[in-house]
Amino acid sequence: MQSAVRVRVGNLPHELTNFVGRRRELAEVRRLLSESHLVTLTGMGGVGKTRLALRVAANLQEDFEDGVWLVELGALAEPHLLADTVVAALGLRERVARSPLPLLIDFLADRRALIVLDNCEHLVTEVAELTKAVLSACPEVRILATSREALAAGEEAVLRVPPLTVPDPDTTASLRGLGRYEGVVMFEARARSAVPGFSLTVDNQCMVAEICQRLEGLPLAIELAAARLRALSLKQILLRLTDRYRLLTTGTRVAPSRQQTLQLCIDWSHDLLSDRERTLWRQLAVFAGGFELDAAAEVSGFADSELVDVLGSLVDKSILIREETGEVAQYRMLETIREYGLERLAEAGESALLRQRHQGWCERLTLQAEAEWIGNRQLEWLARFDRTRDDLRAALEFSVTAAAEPDAALHMVVAIYPYWVSRGLYSEGRYWIDRALARADGAPAGSRVTALCLGSMLALMQGDIPAAQEWTDAACALTHPEDDPAVFAFAVSATGYLATFSGDFARAIECFEESLPTLRAEGAPLARVGTLVGLAMACGLAGDSRRAIACHEEVVALTASYGESMYRSYSLGMLGLAVWEQGDTKRAAQLIEEGVRLTRLVDDPLGLAMCLEILAWLAADRPERAAVLMGASAWVGEAAGSPTIVVRDLFGHHDRVVRESTDAIGQKAFEAAFARGRDLSVDAAIAYALGDQTPAEPSASAPTMRLTRRQREIAELVAQGMTNKAIAQQLVISQRTAEGHVENILTKLGFTTRAQITAWVAAGAGQEA
C-alpha cells in the first residue's frame, strides 16, 4: 500500500464568499514576494487587505512545500505574546529550555514557508522586530503582512491596496461594460447572496453604478450596502446614501475622503438598525475573537428567544459573520466593525460593565473546564479553549489590570493551566501566572500557593530550574500542614517535580509519597493524577520499574474511569515502556498502540512522537520497521517544535537500537528506511505504527525534494571537508542544528555518505537545485 506523502498545507481558512477582481494587485503581490522576503499590504480599514492577502496565499500554496500559515493578530492586545501567537498558529509546541522566538527561528531555519501576519497596525514595532529576526535566519521564508501602516522593517516591499474600481461618475457605462468594474461585480455578487436571483439589468444598472461610486469602491462599505437589499430597494439605499453624505460631508472634515466614506457607511448601517440590534452590536464588540451563542447570552443579557432573532438579523445585515466550527455555530466581527462597536460602547458608558461581564463569563467557563478536565468532556474543552483563546487573554488582561477581585486572575490561570500544558504554551502560561501573582496581594494564600506551584512546573517543562526553585520555595513558605491539607500536599508534590528535574530521584519519591495520601483523600482528580505521574517518572528514572508500573496503572485506571484522554495517553506510553523493560513486549505494544490512538484524539504530536519512538525500540528485532518508526518520530517531533524527544534521551535505548539496527541491515538500508518514515503524514505514521500500512520505497531516480538555500550552503561547506562542528561555528548555529541539516540533505538527495554530497557539489548539481 502506498504511503501518504507528507503535505503541509498550513492553516488557511476556506473563503466564505467569492473573491472579486484584484488581478493587478494579485500579480503585483506575487511579483513582490518573489523579490522580497517581506511584503506589507497597507491601506485603511475595510479596503480589503486581508482578503487580498488570503487569496495570494491560497494561490501560492504549491510554491511553499512547508506550508502557508495565517497568524491573526487583530485580537492580540499583549505585545509580549506575539511570538507565542505565531508559534501557536504554526502548530508548534514549546520545546524544553526554549522561548518562542528561538523555537520559531529554529523550526523555520531550513523550511520554505509563507507566513501571513494579519492586522499588524497596533503591533508595528513588535512585528517589525519579529520579522527581522525570522527573515535574517530563515532564507526560504516569506512574510506577507497586512497593516494600516508599513512596518518599516529592513528591505520591506510595500503595496498600498486601492479600493475596487468603479465607474466614472462623468461617463455612462453600458450594462455589459459595468462588468469591467470590480466594485460593481462585488455588489452584484453580495446582492445575489442577500436576495437570490438579483442581477444587473438595464433598469437598475445606473443605481448600482451610483451606489458603488458613492461608496468609492470600498469592499466593506459595498458589502454593508448590498446586505441592506433584504430590507430596502436599490432606490431606497441610494437615497439614504445621497442624503447622508450631503448632510455629513458639509463643513471641514479632517479625515481623508475614503476614510470618511467608510465611517459614514458604517454610521448609516448603524442608524438603520433597530435599538435592539444596535445594543447587541456594541455589546458583542467586547469579544476579542469568535464567540458562541452561550457566550453572547451571558455577556449581553438578552433573553435566549430574543437573542437568536437579533443575532440572525445582524448576520443578515453583514454586521456579524457566522461560521461553522464542527457542530457549533460561531460568530465574529470584522475588526473594523468591532472597533466601531467598541466606540459606541464607550459612548454609551458601558465599557467597564461589559468588560466585567466578559471577564466573569470567561472565569466561569474556565472553572467549569477545570472541574471537568479529568473527564469525558476533555476533548470538548480543548476545542473550546482553542476557539476562545483570544477572549481568555482579554479576560486575563482585565483581571490583572481592572478586576475588583484580587484573586480573579488566580482562579483563571489555575483553571487554564492544563490547557497551556496540552498545547505546549509554557511561556504564555508563565507570563499570565506571573502577572496574576503580582496582582494577588490580597488573595487567599491557598490560591497563591497553587499558582506558584503551577508556575514552577511550567518553568521545569522549559528546563528553567532556577525559576522553578524560586517559585516552589515561595509556595512552601506560604503553606503549612495545619492550613489547607490539600494545598500543602500540592506544594509538596511540586517540590517532588523540582527534585525529579534536578536529578534527585530519592528526594522526589519521598515528596510524592508524602503528598499522595492527602491528594487521594481530599485533592481534585487533576492533582492526584499529576502526582501519580510524577511518582511514576521518578521511580522509573531511579530504576524501580515495578513501582513505576503500579503508578502508571493507577493513572490509567483512574483516567479511564473518568473518560479522560490526555494524561491517559502519556501513562499508556510510559507504562508500555516499563512493561517492555521487564520483558513483556506483547503487552507493551498493546499499551503504546492505545496511547497512539489517544494522542491523535487530543492533538498531541509530542506524545505521538514519544510513542512512535518507544514502538521503534520494541521493534529492535525488525530493524527496518524500527528505522521507519524512528524517522516518523523524528519529523513529528520536529513539526511540533521539538527535534528531540525527552524520553529518548532519558532512558538510553535510542542509540543502542540505532546501532543494532544498522549492524543488522547496513547503514544505507537503515537510512533509507528512516527517510521513508520521515516522509509519512501523521495519519500514515499512525497507520504504520498500528500495523495497517507499509510505507512505499522512495523513487531512486532523483532527489525527493530540492534543497533550500541554507541546505545548498551547508552542502558546499561539506564539500569543502568541514565537520558539523566547523559548519556550526561558520554559520553561527548549534552543532545539533548543523547535524540536522546534513541529515536532511542526505535524505533529500538519496545519499548515505558525505562523500556523495561532495561529488554532487563538484558536478555542479548544487547550482541547479
Side-chain angles (χ1 to χ4, degrees):
M1 183 178 183
Q2 289 282 326
S3 68
V5 176
R6 183 167 76 254
V7 179
R8 300 174 188 168
V9 296
N11 64 342
L12 293 185
H14 295 294
E15 290 184 323
L16 298 177
T17 54
N18 62 311
F19 187 84
V20 174
R22 302 291 198 192
R23 290 184 181 179
R24 186 190 68 80
E25 289 83 5
L26 288 169
E28 180 65 7
V29 177
R30 186 162 192 157
R31 183 189 69 78
L32 291 174
L33 281 170
S34 71
E35 299 174 353
S36 176
H37 288 73
L38 171 62
V39 176
T40 303
L41 306 182
T42 65
M44 63 174 291
V47 80
K49 301 183 294 297
T50 297
R51 286 300 302 273
L52 176 59
L54 291 179
R55 173 47 65 100
V56 169
N59 290 347
L60 291 177
Q61 285 185 96
E62 292 185 1
D63 295 349
F64 291 92
E65 62 195 41
D66 293 303
V68 177
W69 304 90
L70 171 64
V71 185
E72 296 175 316
L73 300 177
L76 181 62
E78 288 294 331
H80 300 291
L81 297 179
L82 174 61
D84 301 77
T85 302
V86 179
V87 163
L90 268 63
L92 306 183
R93 266 64 169 177
E94 290 180 31
R95 160 160 45 140
V96 172
R98 299 301 300 273
S99 56
L101 184 56
L103 167 61
L104 180 66
I105 291 171
D106 191 47
F107 176 75
L108 294 172
D110 66 344
R111 284 176 164 80
R112 181 170 175 79
L114 173 64
I115 300 174
V116 180
L117 301 177
D118 190 34
N119 287 316
C120 302
E121 50 273 350
H122 60 305
L123 301 166
V124 168
T125 301
E126 292 78 13
V127 172
E129 292 173 352
L130 181 138
T131 57
K132 181 179 179 181
V134 169
L135 295 178
S136 63
C138 309
E140 296 297 324
V141 170
R142 296 290 187 274
I143 293 178
L144 177 60
T146 73
S147 176
R148 296 186 188 181
E149 61 178 293
L151 303 181
E155 298 180 2
E156 174 188 23
V158 179
L159 176 67
R160 185 166 186 82
V161 178
L164 299 174
T165 57
V166 297
D168 188 326
D170 296 328
T171 61
T172 301
S174 65
L175 181 61
R176 179 176 298 178
L178 285 179
R180 299 195 307 267
Y181 298 103
E182 298 164 335
V184 173
V185 174
M186 170 174 272
F187 185 92
E188 183 180 21
R190 301 301 183 261
R192 194 176 295 116
S193 296
V195 181
F198 177 90
S199 64
L200 286 174
T201 66
V202 173
D203 294 331
N204 67 24
Q205 63 175 346
C206 291
M207 286 185 288
V208 170
E210 189 172 355
I211 288 171
C212 294
Q213 291 161 4
R214 291 198 172 276
L215 297 178
E216 297 186 281
L218 289 171
L220 177 57
I222 289 173
E223 292 205 23
L224 291 172
R228 300 305 308 183
L229 281 173
R230 292 187 176 95
L232 302 174
S233 68
L234 284 171
K235 184 175 182 180
Q236 289 172 315
I237 291 174
L238 182 58
L239 178 64
R240 282 160 173 76
L241 282 176
T242 303
D243 290 346
R244 180 117 184 128
Y245 280 30
R246 183 179 299 116
L247 176 66
L248 295 178
T249 56
T250 56
T252 301
R253 298 298 297 266
V254 296
S257 173
R258 289 193 176 97
Q259 187 170 328
Q260 292 178 26
T261 300
L262 180 61
Q263 178 70 30
L264 297 176
C265 189
I266 300 177
D267 283 340
W268 168 71
S269 293
H270 182 263
D271 289 349
L272 286 174
L273 299 178
S274 68
D275 287 341
R276 293 186 310 160
E277 291 167 340
R278 285 196 291 265
T279 298
L280 189 59
W281 177 353
R282 68 175 182 261
Q283 289 179 339
L284 296 181
V286 77
F287 286 99
F291 55 89
E292 296 166 28
L293 187 62
D294 61 340
E298 286 207 39
V299 172
S300 69
F302 273 59
D304 285 348
S305 57
E306 184 180 30
L307 177 64
V308 172
D309 290 340
V310 183
L311 273 176
S313 181
L314 291 178
V315 171
D316 289 343
K317 295 165 184 175
S318 295
I319 305 303
L320 291 178
I321 298 171
R322 183 182 183 275
E323 299 171 331
E324 293 291 338
T325 306
E327 298 179 356
V328 179
Q330 191 172 29
Y331 305 87
R332 67 177 176 89
M333 294 182 187
L334 294 174
E335 198 60 27
T336 303
I337 296 293
R338 178 174 179 257
E339 289 174 359
Y340 185 94
L342 289 173
E343 290 175 3
R344 302 290 82 75
L345 193 66
E347 288 178 0
E350 298 173 346
S351 294
L353 172 63
L354 266 294
R355 289 186 70 196
Q356 184 66 61
R357 284 186 191 172
H358 177 265
Q359 188 279 330
W361 170 76
C362 287
E363 184 177 348
R364 289 189 293 276
L365 183 78
T366 58
L367 291 176
Q368 184 182 354
E370 180 188 23
E372 298 179 354
W373 195 265
I374 302 296
N376 58 14
R377 293 195 63 200
Q378 186 183 76
L379 300 180
E380 294 178 37
W381 285 117
L382 280 166
R384 184 69 186 264
F385 278 16
D386 283 340
R387 297 194 299 269
T388 58
R389 186 183 299 168
D390 289 333
D391 282 284
L392 295 179
R393 286 173 171 172
L396 283 167
E397 178 63 30
F398 181 79
S399 297
V400 299
T401 55
E405 296 297 327
D407 56 348
L410 289 179
H411 291 160
M412 288 192 67
V413 297
V414 169
I416 301 172
Y417 166 81
Y419 171 74
W420 286 325
V421 172
S422 71
R423 293 296 184 248
L425 300 171
Y426 310 132
S427 293
E428 176 167 353
R430 290 177 66 181
Y431 170 80
W432 288 117
I433 289 174
D434 194 45
R435 293 192 66 189
L437 287 167
R439 166 83 176 174
D441 288 342
S447 298
R448 285 181 283 161
V449 168
T450 304
L452 285 163
C453 292
L454 297 179
S456 171
M457 285 187 270
L458 288 173
L460 288 172
M461 292 174 196
Q462 293 187 300
D464 190 351
I465 292 178
Q469 179 78 62
E470 182 179 345
W471 284 19
T472 303
D473 290 346
C476 291
L478 279 174
T479 184
H480 305 281
E482 59 271 16
D483 297 332
D484 186 327
V487 171
F488 178 78
F490 192 60
V492 175
S493 178
T495 306
Y497 270 103
L498 177 62
T500 302
F501 279 80
S502 301
D504 189 350
F505 305 134
R507 169 66 173 152
I509 293 170
E510 179 184 340
C511 290
F512 290 130
E513 288 178 336
E514 178 184 348
S515 62
L516 194 52
T518 301
L519 293 177
R520 279 195 176 113
E522 301 188 32
L526 183 59
R528 178 181 169 188
V529 167
T531 300
L532 281 167
V533 167
L535 180 57
M537 181 190 304
C539 289
L541 292 170
D544 188 352
S545 57
R546 290 186 182 277
R547 184 75 185 282
I549 288 172
C551 291
H552 281 306
E553 285 180 334
E554 185 175 350
V555 172
V556 170
L558 178 64
T559 52
S561 70
Y562 281 99
E564 192 272 345
S565 300
M566 188 176 84
Y567 289 95
R568 182 156 49 113
S569 69
Y570 172 81
S571 273
L572 282 167
M574 296 307 296
L575 176 58
L577 172 60
V579 167
W580 171 68
E581 288 179 328
Q582 288 204 323
D584 191 345
T585 301
K586 182 178 180 180
R587 185 188 176 211
Q590 292 172 343
L591 291 166
I592 298 169
E593 287 171 2
E594 186 180 351
V596 166
R597 295 184 180 95
L598 287 177
T599 61
R600 190 58 167 148
L601 275 179
V602 299
D603 185 23
D604 179 11
L606 292 181
L608 174 60
M610 179 191 78
C611 288
L612 293 173
E613 177 70 26
I614 299 173
L615 283 175
W617 302 345
L618 271 61
D621 59 336
R622 291 176 288 170
E624 185 175 343
R625 177 173 171 81
V628 171
L629 288 168
M630 285 183 175
S633 173
W635 96 255
V636 170
E638 289 172 8
S642 180
T644 60
I645 308 304
V646 174
V647 69
R648 187 185 82 180
D649 300 324
L650 285 178
F651 289 88
H653 298 294
H654 176 83
D655 291 342
R656 176 182 58 80
V657 174
V658 169
R659 185 172 59 254
E660 292 175 356
S661 299
T662 303
D663 290 344
I665 62 175
Q667 181 78 21
K668 184 175 181 179
F670 179 88
E671 291 178 349
F674 188 93
R676 293 202 301 276
R678 289 186 64 90
D679 279 339
L680 294 176
S681 67
V682 169
D683 289 336
I686 291 174
Y688 181 73
L690 300 179
D692 300 332
Q693 167 179 322
T694 301
E697 294 286 341
S699 170
S701 61
T704 58
M705 296 180 186
R706 67 183 184 85
L707 297 189
T708 65
R709 187 181 305 170
R710 173 53 66 92
Q711 288 170 341
R712 292 196 299 272
E713 180 182 12
I714 290 176
E716 290 169 0
L717 295 178
V718 169
Q720 295 172 22
M722 296 180 68
T723 64
N724 289 339
K725 182 177 181 180
I727 291 172
Q729 293 172 343
Q730 172 83 10
L731 299 179
V732 196
I733 58 178
S734 70
Q735 185 172 339
R736 177 170 289 179
T737 298
E739 291 169 353
H741 283 309
V742 173
E743 179 184 313
N744 288 336
I745 292 168
L746 289 167
T747 299
K748 284 187 175 183
L749 298 180
F751 296 157
T752 58
T753 67
R754 299 168 78 94
Q756 289 174 297
I757 297 177
T758 300
W760 181 76
V761 172
Q767 300 302 316
E768 299 171 5

